[in-house]
Amino acid sequence: MTQLLAVVGGGEFSTQAVLALEALRKAAGRRNQPIALELRGPAGSNPLPDEAVRDAGAVLLVGSGDLGEGRFGALAKARAAIDEVLADANAVLDRALSHTAPAPDVTAQAASGTRRIVAITSCPTGIAHTFMAAEGLQAAAEALGHAIRVETQGSVGARDTLTAAEIASADIVLIAADTGVDRVRFGGKRVYATTTKAAIRDGRGLIATALAEATVQAADAGAASEGAARPEAAERKAGAYKHLMTGVSFMLPFVVAGGLLIALAFAVGGIDAMAPGHEGTLGYALGQIGAKGAFALIVPALAGYIAYSIADRPGIAPGMVGGMLAANLQAGFLGGIAAGFIAGYTASFLNRHIRLHRNLEGLKPVLILPLLATTITGLLMIYVVGVPVAAVLAALTGWLKGMQGASALVLGLVLGGMMAIDMGGPINKAAYASAAALLSSGVDAPMAAVMLGGMTPPLGLALATRLFPAKFSAPEREAGGAAAVLGAAFITEGAIPFAAADPLRIIPALVAGSATAGALALTLGVTLKVPHGGLFVLPIPNAVGNPLGAVLALVAGTAVTALVAGFLKRRAA
């Protein structure tokens, strides 16, 4: 009978690793399956003898971190989590023994120049940049002769999820993301992390850089069993912006669901559908779900996932508790942002500096970190942060709700213009995140300026290709139809190909049109209760305040973009 190897790694969380190792030993003994076991940890490790590795037919890699898989060459490899082994060791053994196909010959791949790459792409809203980055990487890998598999982490979850076998056989893991990505699967692999923008702009250059500079992701004691591995230096470059965008990406579904449910409540039961006298009606029920359910979770979700981006899973509980306190203290989204950063950095600091005996280390993620980080975050929110931030938010909310005339015009110009400057980049996302967060405080005018300003660039360019066909190449004219669809769906990135081809002329035209749309929207009193959807939210009752004004602003902005682009662009060669 073929001998099986099993390597179990649990970092300093060795209690679970020891239990998993013993479960495998007993399960193999019951079926008379020869097995050689190795426990990887800071103490008590028992390396596999060379003769066991030489005579084995397969290896089972359990847990995360550096499992020393380079020793096993072309041996068939299977992977499992420690929890899987503890739940059903027999099933894990069956899976390991079924892996009879030899592992890829990495040496042959290196000689031929071909590399196996697995990648993850993700952006805060999980729509355009996520998939544009994936397409950029796939096209670049194909041109360079490399094999690639890309997992997209979009607004509806992960698609084309990477399998354990694909990760195990990959030469590098390439992460192109503007949000935090759970990297616990990649322990022991060479990882390179960057932004979606890098993948969209220069996929070939990015892959070359990643192959040269990727570093092995080591197991982190605090994260090995309880969350994602620590971010690499390339990820940390984005700093606070990336943490904020991670929080925003998890917050958006609550904003969308809550806003639409409140709009539907008004549509079904009238403008006073949520008044106490209407209890028991469908309109009242929908309003409760939207306002008391989804909207009540906006700030906790924002704070919790900012903290998660900083400290991984140990940050979620203190972050969400801090966010709930911010909501209760009337500190709103500003308080939630503060709570998220306080909780994240507190949990991260405690995780790095609290050291326990390895037999007690399992208490840290379930007892010590949640208790201490939540206590510190809560006390700071109550006694230090909450009251002044609430005062600032109240002043900001009052000013925004009282906007009219020149102030509304200027704010609309700024927000609309920001949406077109980098079309999905940091400036665009800063305007979008601010407007989306304001919805939780009942301020829904900025969101109208942002959405209309974001729809204008692709719509304006689509119109320009029809009005001035001689100034656009044949591929650009063909792309005009797709840009119109993207613009209607509020996907500003539809304008990127045009801007990339002629940035000095196209970007000013985009900014002019978007600023016009945003200024008109706020001047005409347009409001928007949901943070996405484009034209498709117009038919929803009460989702858009003053829909006629919204259409006028969009038409005006689109026309300005088209006319300015037609005036500035030279005749196509």
Side-chain angles (χ1 to χ4, degrees):
M1 187 178 290
T2 303
Q3 173 158 298
L4 177 67
L5 305 178
V7 180
V8 182
E12 293 184 15
F13 292 95
S14 57
T15 303
Q16 295 94 328
V18 170
L19 292 173
L21 185 132
E22 290 304 315
L24 289 172
R25 190 193 308 278
K26 291 179 181 178
R30 286 193 293 268
R31 60 173 69 187
N32 296 318
Q33 167 63 50
I35 189 169
L37 297 155
E38 174 181 327
L39 175 67
R40 303 276 290 191
S45 298
N46 54 331
L48 292 167
D50 292 340
E51 58 271 19
V53 176
R54 186 173 58 249
D55 299 335
V59 58
L60 172 63
L61 302 171
V62 180
S64 60
D66 181 11
L67 300 178
E69 63 181 278
R71 298 171 288 169
F72 305 122
L75 272 180
K77 299 179 181 67
R79 292 180 178 273
I82 288 178
D83 290 345
E84 291 182 272
V85 175
L86 296 176
D88 192 345
N90 283 311
V92 172
L93 284 179
D94 288 337
R95 191 166 78 233
L97 293 170
S98 68
H99 280 65
T100 56
D105 188 344
V106 177
T107 304
Q109 290 177 5
S112 67
T114 300
R115 298 289 187 273
R116 290 181 179 269
I117 303 169
V118 293
I120 292 178
T121 63
S122 178
C123 75
T125 54
I127 304 176
H129 270 58
T130 299
F131 299 102
M132 291 172 70
E135 290 173 2
L137 291 175
Q138 288 165 341
E142 182 179 349
L144 294 170
H146 301 313
I148 191 168
R149 271 274 287 114
V150 183
E151 173 184 315
T152 55
Q153 295 188 2
S155 54
V156 294
R159 290 185 180 178
D160 299 322
T161 305
L162 300 172
T163 66
E166 288 169 334
I167 295 170
S169 64
D171 294 300
I172 63 165
V173 179
L174 203 167
I175 299 173
D178 301 321
T179 62
V181 171
D182 190 333
R183 295 168 54 180
V184 73
R185 296 175 285 173
F186 307 131
K189 302 299 296 183
R190 294 180 68 230
V191 178
Y192 184 84
T194 185
T195 63
T196 57
K197 193 172 184 180
I200 294 169
R201 279 188 167 182
D202 183 11
R204 292 192 187 194
L206 173 58
I207 289 176
T209 302
L211 288 170
E213 299 182 6
T215 57
V216 175
Q217 177 161 311
D220 182 90
S225 293
E226 292 300 315
R230 288 279 172 255
E232 298 291 336
E235 277 187 313
R236 288 198 295 267
K237 290 179 183 178
Y241 171 78
K242 186 165 189 174
H243 302 320
L244 177 61
M245 288 299 103
T246 300
V248 169
S249 70
F250 282 97
M251 174 193 77
L252 285 179
F254 297 96
V255 180
V256 173
L260 287 175
L261 284 166
I262 292 171
L264 290 173
F266 292 146
V268 171
I271 196 64
D272 58 347
M274 296 168 62
H278 290 78
E279 292 185 28
T281 65
L282 178 60
Y284 183 85
L286 291 173
Q288 291 296 301
I289 297 169
K292 303 295 185 182
F295 263 35
L297 291 171
I298 289 174
V299 176
L302 174 65
Y305 283 98
I306 289 173
Y308 164 76
S309 180
I310 297 169
D312 305 317
R313 294 183 191 178
I316 292 180
M320 286 194 168
V321 171
M324 184 60 74
L325 288 171
N328 292 339
L329 292 167
Q330 306 301 312
F333 79 95
L334 292 178
I337 293 172
F341 282 104
I342 291 170
Y345 286 117
T346 299
S348 179
F349 177 85
L350 294 173
N351 198 14
R352 290 196 309 270
H353 290 86
I354 294 178
R355 290 287 180 262
L356 301 175
H357 187 275
R358 62 189 181 90
N359 292 328
L360 298 176
E361 191 72 20
L363 293 175
K364 193 162 74 170
V366 297
L367 174 63
I368 296 172
L369 289 179
L371 175 62
L372 293 181
T374 300
T375 301
I376 293 170
T377 302
L379 290 174
L380 287 173
M381 288 303 298
I382 291 172
Y383 290 112
V384 180
V385 177
V387 173
V389 172
V392 171
L393 181 66
L396 175 63
T397 302
W399 176 73
L400 289 171
K401 287 186 174 180
M403 283 187 315
Q404 55 184 342
S407 61
L409 178 70
V410 171
L411 182 63
L413 281 170
V414 172
L415 289 176
M418 288 176 70
M419 293 300 292
I421 289 176
D422 54 2
M423 293 155 286
I427 298 174
N428 170 290
K429 287 294 189 290
Y432 178 78
S434 300
L438 283 167
L439 286 175
S440 65
S441 301
V443 182
D444 47 15
M447 193 72 243
V450 162
M451 184 178 289
L452 293 171
M455 294 166 65
T456 296
L459 288 174
L461 290 171
L463 179 60
T465 61
R466 300 301 183 263
L467 296 178
F468 310 100
K471 296 197 173 185
F472 294 88
S473 65
E476 286 176 330
R477 292 196 296 272
E478 291 178 6
V485 175
L486 294 173
F490 181 37
I491 299 177
T492 315
E493 290 87 344
I496 288 178
F498 298 88
D502 193 1
L504 294 180
R505 295 179 178 85
I506 291 297
I507 291 179
L510 302 183
V511 173
S514 293
T516 300
L520 281 174
L522 294 194
T523 303
L524 295 172
V526 180
T527 60
L528 185 64
K529 288 184 170 60
V530 290
H532 224 291
L535 291 177
F536 303 102
V537 302
L538 283 175
I540 301 173
N542 299 305
V544 181
N546 190 7
L548 179 59
V551 173
L552 289 173
L554 183 61
V555 169
T558 299
V560 169
T561 291
L563 294 173
V564 175
F567 174 76
L568 293 178
K569 273 189 72 66
R570 295 176 179 174
R571 190 178 184 87

